[in-house]
Amino acid sequence: MSMDFNEACAQVRRGDIRPGGIGILAEKPLHATLKWWLDDNPAHHEVTLPCGKVADVYDGARVYEIQTGGFSPLRKKLEVLLDTYPVTVVHPIPRRKYLSWITPATGETTPPHKSPKIGTFVQGAPQLVYLLPLLDHPNLTIRFLLMDMEEQRLADGWSKDGKRGSHRAVMLPLTLEDTLTLRCPADYAALLPAGLPEPFTATQFGKAAKLQGRKLSAALKVLLDRGVLTRQREGREYTYTVQEPL
């Protein structure tokens, strides 16, 4: 049974609930909150399956893998799990981020400062490039969560104020704003950013999606693979067109 998201946030931050199983000392509040939100039965957390893999959540029917970082390490694990279990990969994406700084010597934390940037689902698209061979598997579901979060960083960097070269201390979930479930190729059209011309270039897509470099290339590769986009060469560059879903 799932827990209300706001309640899961509050209880983890207060320390009222503590995850069981392996990795308890290293588990971060974001991961713990999502685990309790998905399933409030601790017996379903960190379950060792007959295949030898440990599921973040296994309710007896479905495995949930919470991936707060990159997807690259997840592929080999999914290749094993998907042969036997329906698997939902849950990935949080920051919508609005609030940043606060911790002074290492005193532990004092500054009031959170709101970032002007607003994230969208397309920020999750580049990670899917690592799972391209698996995206058509009937047992795989991807679920993106668009969330407001507070990032607390240690002011332990090399600059005078300690911010350049600093390290993240913790990421705290605040609110769940929206979710996107990806099962079939047509679902991936929801990753397209608003305001694209028709057709558009990679540069125009990157500006609308707030992606650049390898992340931009990866996002376009995923959307081409899913049949959301087609690509044509015009002169020295490619242009892209949105495909109508079948």
Side-chain angles (χ1 to χ4, degrees):
M1 182 178 177
S2 63
M3 179 182 289
D4 176 77
F5 182 83
N6 291 334
E7 183 62 23
C9 285
Q11 291 201 35
V12 168
R13 292 187 74 155
R14 291 197 306 264
D16 293 346
I17 54 178
R18 299 187 181 277
I22 67 168
I24 180 172
L25 295 179
E27 186 169 39
K28 302 298 185 181
L30 176 57
H31 192 276
T33 298
L34 294 179
K35 193 160 62 177
W36 283 89
W37 170 65
L38 289 166
D39 194 317
D40 63 3
N41 185 346
H44 295 166
H45 299 172
E46 308 294 346
V47 177
T48 301
L49 303 169
C51 64
K53 300 297 183 181
V54 178
D56 288 330
V57 176
Y58 177 58
D59 60 9
R62 176 172 290 272
V63 170
Y64 294 88
E65 284 298 309
I66 301 165
Q67 200 69 11
T68 58
F71 280 18
S72 179
L74 187 60
R75 178 170 164 178
K76 289 185 177 180
K77 184 176 184 179
L78 287 178
E79 288 173 345
V80 175
L81 293 176
L82 290 170
D83 284 341
T84 307
Y85 305 96
V87 180
T88 297
V89 176
V90 179
H91 180 60
I93 299 170
R95 185 192 75 102
R96 179 78 78 181
K97 188 185 292 186
Y98 298 80
L99 180 62
S100 57
W101 292 93
I102 302 171
T103 303
T106 64
E108 183 181 357
T109 303
T110 65
H113 173 74
K114 183 169 66 174
S115 168
K117 298 179 181 179
I118 297 180
T120 60
F121 286 123
V122 72
Q123 265 84 61
Q127 292 301 329
L128 296 173
V129 77
Y130 298 107
L131 305 184
L132 279 183
L134 303 177
L135 293 182
D136 284 323
H137 199 293
N139 276 345
L140 179 63
T141 299
I142 307 292
R143 192 175 186 192
F144 286 159
L145 310 178
L146 200 59
M147 303 168 58
D148 286 358
M149 304 185 196
E150 179 184 343
E151 180 179 3
Q152 295 183 353
R153 300 190 69 90
L154 289 169
D156 61 352
W158 47 263
S159 63
K160 186 175 180 180
D161 60 6
K163 294 182 178 181
R164 291 177 180 262
S166 64
H167 296 85
R168 178 190 294 172
V170 69
M171 185 74 87
L172 300 172
L174 300 175
T175 59
L176 177 61
E177 296 297 324
D178 201 0
T179 66
L180 174 63
T181 300
L182 304 172
R183 291 193 184 94
C184 65
D187 294 335
Y188 288 75
L191 295 174
L192 290 170
L196 287 172
E198 185 74 19
F200 57 87
T201 65
T203 300
Q204 289 170 323
F205 182 92
K207 184 176 180 180
K210 298 180 177 63
L211 296 173
Q212 58 185 348
R214 292 183 178 180
K215 289 184 177 181
L216 170 57
S217 298
L220 288 170
K221 185 174 182 178
V222 168
L223 294 173
L224 286 166
D225 177 85
R226 298 291 80 200
V228 175
L229 301 178
T230 58
R231 185 175 67 173
Q232 309 78 224
R233 180 179 286 278
E234 293 189 7
R236 294 187 175 182
E237 64 180 350
Y238 287 104
T239 60
Y240 299 81
T241 304
V242 177
Q243 284 282 85
E244 293 295 329
L246 298 177

